[in-house]
Amino acid sequence: MGRIVDLRSDTVTQPTEAMREAMYRAKVGDDVYGEDPTVNELEEYTAALLGKEAGLFVTSGTMGNLVALLTHLKKGDEVLLGAESHIYYYEVGGVSALVGALPCLLPHRDGKILPEDIRAALRPKSMHFPNPTLLCLENTHNRGGGTVTTVEEMEAAVECAKEHGLMTHLDGARIFNAAVALGVEAKEIAKHVDSVQLCLSKGLAAPVGSVLVGSRQFIARARKWRKMVGGGMRQAGVMAAAGLVALQTMIERLKEDHGLAKKLAEGLAKLPGVSINPDSVQTNIVVVEIDCKSLGAEAFVQQCAARGIKMNLVSDNMVRLVTHKDVNEQDIDYALEIFAQVLCK
């Protein structure tokens, strides 16, 4: 196969040369003993960036969310989260299987959770009902198509949750995409929630890892849960070094990914056999409906892959494309040429 344009996810990014160099030269120690200086620096740097007291380096966003839920919840507690949230949809049922919590699903409104939906979900106090304990938010929202929840919308949801005695966790896997789109610092988005998980290995292009941040007391408890689920790493500074470079050098360039996603959406909107509103694209994720009678979404994905354009099928008639640092403007032009060849031939 010749040219490849991989639009499956921003997780396919390759580390930069600066990251590779930092990994090679990283000072390391045994992180389970708290003796890895590079991990410690990453955790402190990330916590400060998000306006929190402490951080915890974990292997993945799924582990970060799992550890957060284990720390916030007891078995049998109720957790409120979106019906299309990543925690509910893509994390293998860990909220039930490992945490032992009862999910209470809130309506999907382009990734936003509204105070009225929280109030409607809360039942009267009764010995018959589980204890509602935690509200989970997601910003940006994966299955919402990379949609952004504003600072004001975040504050309204968190304030409502706290009024009813709930703690709050933010799945901020792509929080820096949200911050860049909103033109604010990430700490403004994270300001009122109790904990945040953020990914280093998506648009920031580090090869592996996420960081969970919160209060010192919360992170101290989370560290023990991380150990229980097998996430106690040793000389992890080799990986943390790349994460530091990612946070220090890769945030501002996310706007380039957003621009390419908009260009992609605008190009798709001109093609027959697809349905998309380019104005709905807010960050680096493009979700498009294939409505060509002679070609289903699965066949579209397969035929494009055979021509070097990779993307993900998300439903019977929807596909997802994600821009990232390893895709440029020429790649988008080429992808659009292939789409035009494949659609409704």
Side-chain angles (χ1 to χ4, degrees):
M1 185 181 293
R3 185 173 185 173
I4 302 292
V5 180
D6 197 338
L7 297 167
R8 289 174 298 170
S9 177
D10 44 11
T11 60
V12 304
T13 48
Q14 295 288 305
T16 65
E17 288 304 312
M19 291 177 194
R20 295 175 188 270
E21 180 71 15
M23 293 170 73
Y24 177 73
R25 299 189 179 281
K27 295 179 180 179
V28 299
D30 191 322
D31 180 49
V32 174
Y33 289 115
E35 295 175 355
D36 190 301
T38 309
V39 170
N40 293 342
E41 183 181 358
L42 172 65
E43 291 173 344
E44 292 167 6
Y45 185 89
T46 309
L49 205 58
L50 274 292
K52 302 301 181 186
E53 293 178 345
L56 180 67
F57 185 42
V58 296
T59 59
S60 69
T62 294
M63 178 179 277
N65 285 333
L66 174 63
V67 168
L69 296 180
L70 286 164
T71 308
H72 281 300
L73 298 164
K74 301 187 298 296
K75 287 189 181 299
D77 282 350
E78 186 174 53
V79 52
L80 279 63
L81 69 172
E84 299 285 330
S85 65
H86 194 280
I87 291 174
Y88 179 74
Y89 210 94
Y90 288 124
E91 298 185 7
V92 207
V95 61
S96 297
L98 302 177
V99 181
L102 177 69
C104 174
L105 301 182
L106 304 182
H108 177 66
R109 304 185 189 278
D110 292 328
K112 303 177 190 295
I113 288 180
L114 306 181
E116 51 263 40
D117 293 328
I118 298 171
R119 296 188 190 99
L122 293 170
R123 291 173 283 187
K125 290 185 178 181
S126 167
M127 66 178 291
H128 301 288
F129 302 148
N131 293 321
T133 304
L134 179 68
L135 171 69
C136 292
L137 304 168
E138 184 177 335
N139 199 11
T140 66
H141 198 282
N142 187 337
R143 285 185 62 80
T147 49
V148 175
T149 301
T150 67
V151 172
E152 294 75 20
E153 290 166 335
M154 287 281 299
E155 289 178 354
V158 172
E159 182 179 343
C160 179
K162 292 190 180 300
E163 284 175 3
H164 292 88
L166 275 66
M167 295 175 288
T168 52
H169 171 68
L170 172 61
D171 178 357
R174 294 182 176 89
I175 189 173
F176 294 107
N177 290 91
V180 167
L182 293 172
V184 301
E185 292 186 7
K187 67 175 61 177
E188 290 301 307
I189 298 171
K191 183 162 54 177
H192 298 293
V193 296
D194 295 300
S195 60
V196 185
Q197 176 276 126
L198 61 99
C199 284
L200 304 168
S201 59
K202 292 187 168 68
L204 299 184
V208 65
S210 292
V211 183
L212 176 65
V213 298
S215 69
R216 288 189 181 87
Q217 184 181 32
F218 173 84
I219 292 298
R221 300 199 312 273
R223 192 173 295 275
K224 196 164 186 176
W225 283 114
R226 184 189 71 171
K227 174 69 174 175
M228 181 182 285
V229 298
M233 299 176 284
R234 300 298 178 175
Q235 287 72 33
V238 173
M239 296 180 291
L244 271 168
V245 174
L247 290 172
Q248 293 165 355
T249 65
M250 300 298 286
I251 293 174
E252 288 302 316
R253 65 148 307 282
L254 291 173
K255 61 179 176 288
E256 299 173 23
D257 299 342
H258 299 178
L260 287 180
K262 182 71 75 172
K263 174 183 173 71
L264 178 60
E266 290 171 347
L268 281 164
K270 297 174 184 177
L271 298 178
V274 299
S275 178
I276 184 172
N277 176 10
D279 292 337
S280 69
V281 176
Q282 299 178 324
T283 54
N284 68 323
I285 299 177
V286 178
V287 177
V288 58
E289 179 182 357
I290 306 301
D291 59 6
C292 180
K293 293 180 180 179
S294 61
L295 184 72
E298 185 174 4
F300 173 70
V301 170
Q302 291 173 348
Q303 291 187 31
C304 288
R307 292 164 171 80
I309 310 300
K310 298 182 179 181
M311 70 197 88
N312 275 334
L313 184 73
V314 294
S315 73
D316 290 343
N317 64 336
M318 307 289 285
V319 299
R320 188 187 79 155
L321 308 99
V322 184
T323 54
H324 50 79
K325 82 162 185 71
D326 294 333
V327 173
N328 58 35
E329 191 166 359
Q330 291 72 37
D331 291 327
I332 298 301
D333 290 335
Y334 178 68
L336 288 168
E337 289 177 14
I338 298 300
F339 297 157
Q341 294 173 19
V342 171
L343 284 164
C344 296
K345 294 183 296 183

